[in-house]
């Protein structure tokens, strides 16, 4: 049977994650989240996750370190972080981006801050 349900999400009422992300629409196999106005100099220590991520930069600039490569992300750029890939980032200019994750990042604690 085909799922015919329609979901509308008003981001003003969406839950926030522990890393500052806003969780948007979530389907069975994919989810969307928003990173808004991340400040210059913010960094994420290297981690790997049990989901694949694709993203799109709405505003700002960031440097993504992915498996030994450094990628500069500017407004209008897209990126992919494969499942299990070691990655980190540094915000170079106030940054806003949207990401999709498969499977949904926030299910089963996949999106929790990794232990130090």
């Amino acid at each position: 049977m085909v799922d015919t349900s329609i979901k509308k999400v008003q981001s003003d009422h969406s839950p926030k994650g522990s890393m500052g992300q806003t969780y948007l629409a979530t389907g069975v196999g994919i989810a969307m989240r928003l990173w808004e106005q991340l400040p210059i100099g913010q960094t994420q220590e290297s981690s790997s996750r049990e989901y694949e991520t694709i993203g799109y930069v709405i505003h700002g600039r960031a440097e993504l370190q992915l498996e030994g490569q450094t990628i500069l992300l500017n407004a209008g750029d897209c990126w992919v972080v494969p499942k299990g890939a070691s990655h980190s980032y540094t915000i170079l200019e106030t940054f806003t981006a949207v990401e999709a994750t498969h499977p949904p990042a926030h299910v089963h604690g996949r999106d929790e801050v990794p232990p130090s």
Side-chain angles (χ1 to χ4, degrees):
M1 175 170 221
V2 175
D3 181 0
T4 59
S5 59
I6 297 173
K7 293 182 183 180
K8 175 184 174 183
V9 176
Q10 288 185 294
S11 62
D12 292 346
H13 304 291
S14 294
K16 305 280 188 205
S18 62
M19 297 178 288
Q21 69 277 42
T22 301
Y23 294 113
L24 302 174
T26 300
V28 174
I30 194 165
M32 203 159 124
R33 61 187 177 184
L34 176 67
W35 301 91
E36 245 180 328
Q37 300 296 311
L38 299 180
I40 294 170
Q42 181 171 329
T43 61
Q44 172 201 330
E45 290 187 31
S46 188
S47 64
S48 61
R49 304 296 186 154
E50 290 304 307
Y51 51 82
E52 178 179 40
T53 302
I54 61 169
Y56 175 79
V57 181
I58 296 168
H59 174 81
R61 292 181 328 122
E63 194 172 79
L64 172 64
Q65 295 84 34
L66 178 64
E67 293 290 339
Q69 302 173 68
T70 299
I71 301 146
L72 182 61
L73 298 172
N74 295 295
D77 290 345
C78 299
W79 71 91
V80 175
V81 176
K83 178 180 177 179
S86 177
H87 65 285
S88 63
Y89 68 81
T90 302
I91 303 302
L92 304 175
E93 180 182 300
T94 304
F95 191 75
T96 298
V98 65
E99 292 181 328
T101 62
H102 171 74
H106 63 285
V107 176
H108 303 299
R110 289 183 195 102
D111 212 16
E112 298 299 317
V113 175
S116 310

